[in-house]
């Protein structure tokens, strides 16, 4: 057998994350990052973006929002540079993760920037009616409502609501979350 390497450690990290063992997942993502930085500092031959994003999301689940943000932002920059000048859904995915962290940290204007970009990238790369577009619109509407920007929040949430209920198999919980936020904009 080959032994430990970045790809193996990343895959084990994702597995532990899926199982809910976030401390173990963090350990393996850090090992994957160490392997990658030692052999491929720019991430040209590896999945540096996936490792950074995985590590950031695990830190978020462990409650370390401020520790998660630099990893997620680095993943975002990695994907943005790697796919430049084309928009890429991985850039939007990392940007939406950054947006959610920034929202939780109360940094609403910066969270809004990432969410708006994510909506536009998902529209281009996945389509106007894609579930990823719907989710990004939901997040954008929530961020706008946190800033009490009623009309803009209502518009984003209404479109997200329309898209969510069009799915063949939708999450009733997600639809109700959007519905409640949307109704709040009318109160």
């Amino acid at each position: 057998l080959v032994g430990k390497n970045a790809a193996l450690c990343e895959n084990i990290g994702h597995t532990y994350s899926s199982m809910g063992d976030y401390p173990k997942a963090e350990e393996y993502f850090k090992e994957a990052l160490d392997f990658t930085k030692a052999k491929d500092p720019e991430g040209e031959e590896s999945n540096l973006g996936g490792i950074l994003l995985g590590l950031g999301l695990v830190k978020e689940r462990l409650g370390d929002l401020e520790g998660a943000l630099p990893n997620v932002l680095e993943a975002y920059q990695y994907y943005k540079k790697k796919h430049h000048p084309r928009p890429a859904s991985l850039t939007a995915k990392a940007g939406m993760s950054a947006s959610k962290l920034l929202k939780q940290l109360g940094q609403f204007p910066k969270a809004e920037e990432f969410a708006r970009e994510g909506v536009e990238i998902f529209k281009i790369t996945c389509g106007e009616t894609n579930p990823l577009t719907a989710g990004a619109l939901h997040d954008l509407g929530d961020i706008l409502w946190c800033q009490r920007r009623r009309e803009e929040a209502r518009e984003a949430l209404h479109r997200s609501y329309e898209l969510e209920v069009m799915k063949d198999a939708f999450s009733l919980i997600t639809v109700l979350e959007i519905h409640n936020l949307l109704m709040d904009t009318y109160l």
Side-chain angles (χ1 to χ4, degrees), residues 85-106:
R86 300 174 320 277
S89 57
L90 285 171
T91 304
K93 180 180 178 182
M96 291 306 300
S97 293
S99 177
K100 288 175 185 178
L101 285 166
L102 289 161
K103 177 191 168 251
Q104 291 177 77
L105 292 167

Side-chain angles (χ1 to χ4, degrees), residues 57 60 92-104 107-120 122 130-149 152-161 163-164 174 177-179 181-182 185:
L57 295 176
E60 176 189 17
K93 180 180 178 182
M96 291 306 300
S97 293
S99 177
K100 288 175 185 178
L101 285 166
L102 289 161
K103 177 191 168 251
Q104 291 177 77
Q107 298 178 32
F108 301 117
K110 192 69 180 161
E112 179 187 343
E113 285 178 37
F114 279 105
R116 284 191 185 280
E117 180 187 52
V119 168
E120 292 310 310
F122 283 138
N130 187 278
L132 293 170
T133 304
L137 283 163
H138 178 185
D139 292 341
L140 175 61
D142 188 14
I143 292 163
L144 291 166
W145 182 239
C146 287
Q147 297 175 85
R148 293 304 183 250
R149 290 171 44 201
E152 291 173 274
R154 190 178 293 153
E155 184 180 322
L157 291 167
H158 184 264
R159 183 63 181 143
S160 176
Y161 191 75
L163 295 175
E164 284 292 335
T174 301
E177 287 172 357
I178 298 167
H179 176 84
L181 273 171
L182 185 56
T185 67

Side-chain angles (χ1 to χ4, degrees), residues 40-60:
D40 183 22
E42 298 300 313
E44 292 174 13
E45 302 298 322
S46 67
N47 188 22
L48 179 59
I51 294 166
L52 288 163
L53 189 56
L55 179 59
L57 295 176
V58 164
K59 285 181 179 181
E60 176 189 17

Side-chain angles (χ1 to χ4, degrees), residues 4-145:
K4 279 188 179 180
N5 60 42
L8 179 62
C9 288
E10 179 190 1
N11 287 335
I12 293 172
H14 285 298
T15 301
Y16 275 119
S17 181
S18 295
M19 292 171 27
D21 190 342
Y22 303 125
K24 272 293 210 195
E26 181 180 28
E27 177 185 322
Y28 276 94
F29 280 122
K30 284 180 176 178
E31 274 193 73
L33 189 58
D34 289 343
F35 277 118
T36 300
K37 297 267 178 163
K39 288 187 130 189
D40 183 22
E42 298 300 313
E44 292 174 13
E45 302 298 322
S46 67
N47 188 22
L48 179 59
I51 294 166
L52 288 163
L53 189 56
L55 179 59
L57 295 176
V58 164
K59 285 181 179 181
E60 176 189 17
R61 289 182 183 116
L62 287 168
D64 183 11
L65 303 181
E66 291 184 4
L69 188 58
N71 294 126
V72 170
L73 290 173
E74 191 177 345
Y76 168 81
Q77 289 300 329
Y78 170 82
Y79 286 128
K80 195 161 183 125
K81 180 181 174 186
K82 179 177 180 177
H83 297 288
H84 181 77
R86 300 174 320 277
S89 57
L90 285 171
T91 304
K93 180 180 178 182
M96 291 306 300
S97 293
S99 177
K100 288 175 185 178
L101 285 166
L102 289 161
K103 177 191 168 251
Q104 291 177 77
L105 292 167
Q107 298 178 32
F108 301 117
K110 192 69 180 161
E112 179 187 343
E113 285 178 37
F114 279 105
R116 284 191 185 280
E117 180 187 52
V119 168
E120 292 310 310
I121 291 174
F122 283 138
K123 283 180 181 178
I124 292 165
T125 60
C126 303
E128 292 271 343
T129 60
N130 187 278
L132 293 170
T133 304
L137 283 163
H138 178 185
D139 292 341
L140 175 61
D142 188 14
I143 292 163
L144 291 166
W145 182 239

